[in-house]
Amino acid sequence: MTGSIVAIGMGLAAIGAGIGVGTIGGKALEAIARQPEAIGDIRANMILTAALVEGVALIAVLMAFLVK
Amino acid sequence: MGKTFAQEGYNSHSTPTETSKPLSSPDQDTENQSLINDHSHNDSHSEQAHETHSEHEFKADETAFHHISDLNVYNIGPWNFPLPCILYAKDQGWSIFSSSNFDIDDHHHGSGNKAVDRYALNKGRVMRIIDSSFPMGEVSVEGFKLEEKEVEGKKKETNFVIANGQKYELEKSSTIDGGLFGGGITTFFDFSITKNVFGMILVIGLISWLFLGMARSYKRNPGSAPLGSQKLFEPIILFIQDEVAKPFIGVKYERYMPLLLSIFFFILSLNLFGQIPFFGGANVTGNLAVTLVLAVIVFIVVNLNGNKHYWEHILWMPGIPAWVKTLITPIEILGIFIKPVTLTLRLFANIIAGHIVIIIFISLIFIFGKAGAEPGAAYGASVASVLLALFISSIELLVAFIQAYVFTLLTASYIGAAIEEHHHTEADHH
């Protein structure tokens, strides 16, 4: 079986993004539970931040493909 | 990344079944036989499978990448519909013809039985034969094969076309990124109406018809309750206006509403169009070139509209020591370009990942059934894989909306950051 160490890097990027998006989602739900009337603002900012975190993981995946 | 995607997507066509095809002359037969036998995929297992079923070994990754790539034929189910090919090469000029001229072979995922003007159709994709000794005009083709070649110490996979008992190298072209990454820039330009372009034209026509009709209806009955399709789209348009444009852009939001709505509905409808099973599966928003163009449009709009404060914050961030500024400025300048890159990749990766997962789940049937050798296992696996694929398809419907929303939201937030009026004098008092 052949492989590349790039696969480990992609896995690590996925773990990092998973922790990040998980934290964002969890905190957003806590915030919504505390202040349900602010759900609109919280949701928009949650998605925005999650997208930014995801962006880092995507760059890592792209680099993984490029250096392969 | 196109390097591996594109190449792996092709090589399953170089099957042992090609050997059973009659060749033009008997003395060339032995040469061709040896050409095919040195192919690395001819391990004992696939040889055996070939003897019993005359089928090649099933490779899920190849199947997945073939199905998500852009093609020069439109395939609905087992049928291949020809599309116009508009090709330009510097040394031979324009070649404009229908891809039916390739004599598409329905049994081989739309490979052409003929080469036209040094172009060959390999698994639905036009590739150019680099060898200038290859004759122009229509030439019948015996098959395609993929070989590994050592170039500068790296193993490179190269496609070959077999015609007149000889093999000719095909130019490396990639399928999902237009050759920008890894696939290499080709010596010909492909302006063809490909599957993706055709799907895009279809969807643009549909949404234009819908929205122009709605606009007429609003002009005819101003102030009345929404009618027909307005009932469906008015809440969505109001959502983009009230939840995306107003909070992120601010008072000048109206100027950017056409852009935001166009981006949202273009991405959303193409995401949903790509979800329709057995209808070609034009994977438009899962194509790096398409998402890149969308991101470049956003990049241009953001930077053309950026005001003094925006550029000041990038080039010479106020309120911090000078030595920090020298560190911040390069990062900020990089940030201008990273924003569109992440926009490109986010949409591309999310859509393409969903498609691959669905195809891999469907592939489980063939993996468990060993490509027809064990029908019992295939029946068992098909129940599970259809359920799994259905589940992922439902999630993908959600992702289609979320990604369209995220792209629009980020566009609005980038525009908002670029045109925001700062009040430093007030902030300094605090």
Side-chain angles (χ1 to χ4, degrees), chain A residues 40 43-45 47-48 51-52 54-56 58-59 61-62 65-66 68, chain B residues 1 3-5 181 248 338 342 345-346 349-350 405-406 409-410 413-414:
Chain A
R43 197 202 291 118
N45 283 307
I47 290 175
L48 185 72
L52 293 175
E54 201 187 33
V56 180
L58 289 171
I59 291 172
V61 170
L62 178 80
F65 275 119
L66 286 179
K68 197 174 178 179
Chain B
M1 63 171 74
K3 183 163 42 192
T4 43
F5 284 10
F181 295 99
F248 283 93
I338 289 175
T342 54
L345 289 177
R346 181 176 302 106
N350 274 286
Y405 170 63
V406 165
L409 183 84
L410 287 171
S413 98
Y414 294 155

Short mmCIF file of all heavy atoms in Angstrom, two decimals, chain A residues 40 43-45 47-48 51-52 54-56 58-59 61-62 65-66 68, chain B residues 1 3-5 181 248 338 342 345-346 349-350 405-406 409-410 413-414:
data_model
loop_
_atom_site.label_atom_id
_atom_site.label_comp_id
_atom_site.label_asym_id
_atom_site.label_seq_id
_atom_site.Cartn_x
_atom_site.Cartn_y
_atom_site.Cartn_z
N GLY A 40 -31.31 36.07 15.09
CA GLY A 40 -30.95 36.46 13.72
C GLY A 40 -29.50 36.90 13.63
O GLY A 40 -28.73 36.39 12.81
N ARG A 43 -27.06 34.00 14.37
CA ARG A 43 -26.96 33.01 13.30
C ARG A 43 -26.07 33.52 12.16
O ARG A 43 -25.17 32.81 11.69
CB ARG A 43 -28.35 32.66 12.76
CG ARG A 43 -28.33 31.37 11.96
CD ARG A 43 -29.49 31.26 11.01
NE ARG A 43 -30.78 31.09 11.67
CZ ARG A 43 -31.77 31.99 11.54
NH1 ARG A 43 -31.62 33.06 10.82
NH2 ARG A 43 -32.93 31.77 12.13
N ALA A 44 -26.30 34.77 11.78
CA ALA A 44 -25.51 35.33 10.67
C ALA A 44 -24.03 35.36 11.03
O ALA A 44 -23.18 34.95 10.23
CB ALA A 44 -26.01 36.73 10.35
N ASN A 45 -23.71 35.80 12.25
CA ASN A 45 -22.31 35.87 12.65
C ASN A 45 -21.70 34.49 12.82
O ASN A 45 -20.52 34.29 12.55
CB ASN A 45 -22.17 36.67 13.94
CG ASN A 45 -22.28 38.15 13.65
OD1 ASN A 45 -21.58 38.67 12.81
ND2 ASN A 45 -23.21 38.81 14.31
N ILE A 47 -22.48 31.79 11.07
CA ILE A 47 -22.17 31.24 9.75
C ILE A 47 -20.94 31.94 9.17
O ILE A 47 -20.07 31.31 8.57
CB ILE A 47 -23.39 31.34 8.83
CG1 ILE A 47 -24.45 30.36 9.32
CG2 ILE A 47 -23.03 31.05 7.39
CD1 ILE A 47 -25.76 30.43 8.60
N LEU A 48 -20.87 33.25 9.39
CA LEU A 48 -19.72 34.01 8.88
C LEU A 48 -18.42 33.48 9.48
O LEU A 48 -17.45 33.21 8.78
CB LEU A 48 -19.91 35.48 9.23
CG LEU A 48 -18.87 36.44 8.68
CD1 LEU A 48 -19.06 36.59 7.18
CD2 LEU A 48 -18.98 37.80 9.34
N ALA A 51 -17.55 30.02 8.33
CA ALA A 51 -17.03 30.05 6.96
C ALA A 51 -15.57 30.45 6.95
O ALA A 51 -14.77 29.91 6.18
CB ALA A 51 -17.86 31.03 6.12
N LEU A 52 -15.20 31.38 7.85
CA LEU A 52 -13.80 31.81 7.90
C LEU A 52 -12.91 30.67 8.39
O LEU A 52 -11.82 30.44 7.86
CB LEU A 52 -13.65 33.04 8.80
CG LEU A 52 -14.32 34.31 8.28
CD1 LEU A 52 -14.21 35.42 9.30
CD2 LEU A 52 -13.70 34.74 6.97
N GLU A 54 -13.56 27.50 8.17
CA GLU A 54 -13.56 26.49 7.13
C GLU A 54 -12.57 26.86 6.02
O GLU A 54 -11.93 25.99 5.44
CB GLU A 54 -14.97 26.39 6.56
CG GLU A 54 -15.26 25.11 5.87
CD GLU A 54 -16.61 25.17 5.19
OE1 GLU A 54 -17.01 26.26 4.72
OE2 GLU A 54 -17.25 24.15 5.13
N GLY A 55 -12.46 28.16 5.78
CA GLY A 55 -11.55 28.63 4.74
C GLY A 55 -10.12 28.17 4.97
O GLY A 55 -9.42 27.77 4.04
N VAL A 56 -9.69 28.21 6.25
CA VAL A 56 -8.33 27.78 6.58
C VAL A 56 -8.16 26.30 6.23
O VAL A 56 -7.15 25.90 5.62
CB VAL A 56 -8.04 28.03 8.07
CG1 VAL A 56 -6.64 27.58 8.42
CG2 VAL A 56 -8.21 29.49 8.40
N LEU A 58 -9.80 24.65 4.04
CA LEU A 58 -9.84 24.48 2.59
C LEU A 58 -8.49 24.82 1.96
O LEU A 58 -8.04 24.15 1.03
CB LEU A 58 -10.94 25.35 1.99
CG LEU A 58 -12.35 24.88 2.28
CD1 LEU A 58 -13.35 25.90 1.83
CD2 LEU A 58 -12.61 23.56 1.58
N ILE A 59 -7.85 25.88 2.50
CA ILE A 59 -6.53 26.22 1.98
C ILE A 59 -5.57 25.06 2.25
O ILE A 59 -4.77 24.68 1.38
CB ILE A 59 -6.02 27.52 2.63
CG1 ILE A 59 -6.85 28.70 2.13
CG2 ILE A 59 -4.55 27.76 2.31
CD1 ILE A 59 -6.57 29.99 2.84
N VAL A 61 -6.29 21.90 2.48
CA VAL A 61 -6.60 20.81 1.56
C VAL A 61 -6.04 21.11 0.17
O VAL A 61 -5.46 20.25 -0.50
CB VAL A 61 -8.12 20.56 1.52
CG1 VAL A 61 -8.48 19.59 0.41
CG2 VAL A 61 -8.60 20.02 2.84
N LEU A 62 -6.19 22.36 -0.25
CA LEU A 62 -5.67 22.74 -1.57
C LEU A 62 -4.16 22.58 -1.63
O LEU A 62 -3.61 22.02 -2.59
CB LEU A 62 -6.05 24.19 -1.88
CG LEU A 62 -5.52 24.69 -3.22
CD1 LEU A 62 -6.39 24.21 -4.35
CD2 LEU A 62 -5.39 26.19 -3.25
N PHE A 65 -3.16 19.07 -2.02
CA PHE A 65 -3.25 18.58 -3.39
C PHE A 65 -2.08 19.09 -4.22
O PHE A 65 -1.54 18.38 -5.06
CB PHE A 65 -4.57 19.02 -4.03
CG PHE A 65 -5.71 18.11 -3.73
CD1 PHE A 65 -6.82 18.57 -3.05
CD2 PHE A 65 -5.65 16.79 -4.12
CE1 PHE A 65 -7.87 17.73 -2.77
CE2 PHE A 65 -6.70 15.94 -3.85
CZ PHE A 65 -7.81 16.41 -3.17
N LEU A 66 -1.71 20.36 -3.97
CA LEU A 66 -0.68 20.96 -4.82
C LEU A 66 0.69 20.36 -4.57
O LEU A 66 1.46 20.18 -5.50
CB LEU A 66 -0.65 22.48 -4.59
CG LEU A 66 -1.80 23.27 -5.21
CD1 LEU A 66 -1.66 24.74 -4.91
CD2 LEU A 66 -1.85 23.04 -6.71
N LYS A 68 1.38 17.41 -3.53
CA LYS A 68 1.34 15.96 -3.64
C LYS A 68 2.39 15.46 -4.63
O LYS A 68 2.46 15.92 -5.74
CB LYS A 68 -0.04 15.54 -4.09
CG LYS A 68 -0.33 14.08 -3.87
CD LYS A 68 -1.79 13.84 -4.22
CE LYS A 68 -2.15 12.37 -4.07
NZ LYS A 68 -3.55 12.14 -4.39
N MET B 1 -4.32 20.03 -8.30
CA MET B 1 -5.18 18.91 -7.93
C MET B 1 -5.77 18.25 -9.16
O MET B 1 -6.12 17.10 -9.14
CB MET B 1 -6.27 19.37 -6.98
CG MET B 1 -7.23 20.39 -7.57
SD MET B 1 -8.63 20.68 -6.48
CE MET B 1 -7.90 21.62 -5.19
N LYS B 3 -4.35 17.33 -11.61
CA LYS B 3 -3.42 16.30 -12.05
C LYS B 3 -3.97 14.91 -11.79
O LYS B 3 -4.16 14.12 -12.70
CB LYS B 3 -2.12 16.52 -11.27
CG LYS B 3 -1.02 15.59 -11.64
CD LYS B 3 0.29 16.14 -11.12
CE LYS B 3 0.22 16.71 -9.74
NZ LYS B 3 1.37 17.47 -9.35
N THR B 4 -4.28 14.64 -10.54
CA THR B 4 -4.74 13.32 -10.19
C THR B 4 -6.19 13.12 -10.57
O THR B 4 -6.57 12.08 -11.07
CB THR B 4 -4.57 13.07 -8.70
OG1 THR B 4 -4.98 14.25 -8.02
CG2 THR B 4 -3.15 12.75 -8.38
N PHE B 5 -7.02 14.15 -10.35
CA PHE B 5 -8.44 14.01 -10.66
C PHE B 5 -8.62 13.60 -12.10
O PHE B 5 -9.28 12.62 -12.41
CB PHE B 5 -9.16 15.35 -10.47
CG PHE B 5 -9.39 15.71 -9.03
CD1 PHE B 5 -8.82 14.98 -8.03
CD2 PHE B 5 -10.19 16.78 -8.71
CE1 PHE B 5 -9.03 15.31 -6.73
CE2 PHE B 5 -10.41 17.12 -7.40
CZ PHE B 5 -9.82 16.38 -6.42
N PHE B 181 -4.50 23.98 -12.34
CA PHE B 181 -3.69 23.34 -11.31
C PHE B 181 -3.27 21.96 -11.78
O PHE B 181 -4.09 21.07 -11.92
CB PHE B 181 -4.47 23.21 -10.00
CG PHE B 181 -4.81 24.51 -9.40
CD1 PHE B 181 -6.07 25.06 -9.57
CD2 PHE B 181 -3.87 25.21 -8.67
CE1 PHE B 181 -6.38 26.28 -9.01
CE2 PHE B 181 -4.19 26.42 -8.11
CZ PHE B 181 -5.45 26.96 -8.28
N PHE B 248 -25.05 43.95 6.82
CA PHE B 248 -23.62 43.86 6.50
C PHE B 248 -23.13 45.02 5.65
O PHE B 248 -21.97 45.39 5.73
CB PHE B 248 -23.30 42.53 5.81
CG PHE B 248 -23.25 41.38 6.78
CD1 PHE B 248 -24.36 40.60 7.02
CD2 PHE B 248 -22.08 41.11 7.48
CE1 PHE B 248 -24.31 39.57 7.93
CE2 PHE B 248 -22.03 40.07 8.39
CZ PHE B 248 -23.15 39.31 8.62
N ILE B 338 -6.53 36.38 -0.49
CA ILE B 338 -6.97 35.14 0.14
C ILE B 338 -8.50 35.07 0.20
O ILE B 338 -9.08 34.01 0.05
CB ILE B 338 -6.33 34.99 1.53
CG1 ILE B 338 -4.84 34.67 1.36
CG2 ILE B 338 -6.99 33.90 2.35
CD1 ILE B 338 -4.06 34.63 2.64
N THR B 342 -10.58 31.77 -0.84
CA THR B 342 -11.42 30.95 0.04
C THR B 342 -12.86 30.90 -0.47
O THR B 342 -13.51 29.86 -0.36
CB THR B 342 -11.40 31.47 1.48
OG1 THR B 342 -11.76 32.84 1.47
CG2 THR B 342 -10.06 31.30 2.12
N LEU B 345 -12.81 28.24 -3.14
CA LEU B 345 -12.63 26.87 -2.68
C LEU B 345 -13.80 26.38 -1.83
O LEU B 345 -14.14 25.21 -1.88
CB LEU B 345 -11.34 26.77 -1.85
CG LEU B 345 -10.07 26.89 -2.67
CD1 LEU B 345 -8.87 26.86 -1.76
CD2 LEU B 345 -9.98 25.73 -3.64
N ARG B 346 -14.39 27.28 -1.06
CA ARG B 346 -15.46 26.85 -0.16
C ARG B 346 -16.62 26.27 -0.96
O ARG B 346 -17.08 25.16 -0.71
CB ARG B 346 -15.94 28.03 0.68
CG ARG B 346 -17.04 27.64 1.64
CD ARG B 346 -17.43 28.79 2.54
NE ARG B 346 -16.28 29.26 3.29
CZ ARG B 346 -15.63 30.39 3.06
NH1 ARG B 346 -16.04 31.18 2.09
NH2 ARG B 346 -14.60 30.74 3.78
N ALA B 349 -15.41 23.06 -2.96
CA ALA B 349 -15.15 21.87 -2.15
C ALA B 349 -16.43 21.31 -1.57
O ALA B 349 -16.63 20.09 -1.54
CB ALA B 349 -14.17 22.20 -1.04
N ASN B 350 -17.33 22.19 -1.12
CA ASN B 350 -18.57 21.71 -0.51
C ASN B 350 -19.43 20.97 -1.52
O ASN B 350 -19.99 19.92 -1.21
CB ASN B 350 -19.35 22.87 0.08
CG ASN B 350 -18.89 23.19 1.49
OD1 ASN B 350 -19.20 22.45 2.41
ND2 ASN B 350 -18.14 24.24 1.63
N TYR B 405 -26.13 30.84 0.43
CA TYR B 405 -26.29 31.87 1.45
C TYR B 405 -24.93 32.36 1.95
O TYR B 405 -24.70 33.57 2.07
CB TYR B 405 -27.13 31.29 2.60
CG TYR B 405 -27.20 32.14 3.83
CD1 TYR B 405 -27.77 33.41 3.80
CD2 TYR B 405 -26.71 31.68 5.05
CE1 TYR B 405 -27.85 34.19 4.93
CE2 TYR B 405 -26.77 32.45 6.19
CZ TYR B 405 -27.34 33.71 6.13
OH TYR B 405 -27.41 34.47 7.25
N VAL B 406 -24.00 31.42 2.20
CA VAL B 406 -22.69 31.80 2.73
C VAL B 406 -21.93 32.66 1.72
O VAL B 406 -21.33 33.67 2.08
CB VAL B 406 -21.89 30.54 3.11
CG1 VAL B 406 -20.42 30.87 3.31
CG2 VAL B 406 -22.43 29.92 4.37
N LEU B 409 -23.51 36.03 1.78
CA LEU B 409 -23.22 36.69 3.05
C LEU B 409 -21.79 37.21 3.07
O LEU B 409 -21.54 38.36 3.47
CB LEU B 409 -23.43 35.69 4.19
CG LEU B 409 -23.26 36.19 5.61
CD1 LEU B 409 -24.55 36.82 6.07
CD2 LEU B 409 -22.88 35.07 6.54
N LEU B 410 -20.86 36.40 2.64
CA LEU B 410 -19.46 36.83 2.66
C LEU B 410 -19.22 37.96 1.65
O LEU B 410 -18.48 38.90 1.94
CB LEU B 410 -18.53 35.65 2.37
CG LEU B 410 -18.42 34.66 3.52
CD1 LEU B 410 -17.67 33.42 3.09
CD2 LEU B 410 -17.72 35.29 4.70
N SER B 413 -20.42 40.97 3.32
CA SER B 413 -19.55 41.42 4.42
C SER B 413 -18.26 42.03 3.87
O SER B 413 -17.75 43.01 4.42
CB SER B 413 -19.28 40.27 5.38
OG SER B 413 -18.06 39.66 5.13
N TYR B 414 -17.74 41.50 2.77
CA TYR B 414 -16.53 42.09 2.17
C TYR B 414 -16.84 43.47 1.61
O TYR B 414 -16.05 44.40 1.77
CB TYR B 414 -15.98 41.19 1.05
CG TYR B 414 -15.45 39.85 1.52
CD1 TYR B 414 -15.40 38.76 0.67
CD2 TYR B 414 -14.99 39.68 2.83
CE1 TYR B 414 -14.92 37.54 1.09
CE2 TYR B 414 -14.51 38.46 3.25
CZ TYR B 414 -14.48 37.39 2.38
OH TYR B 414 -14.00 36.19 2.80
#
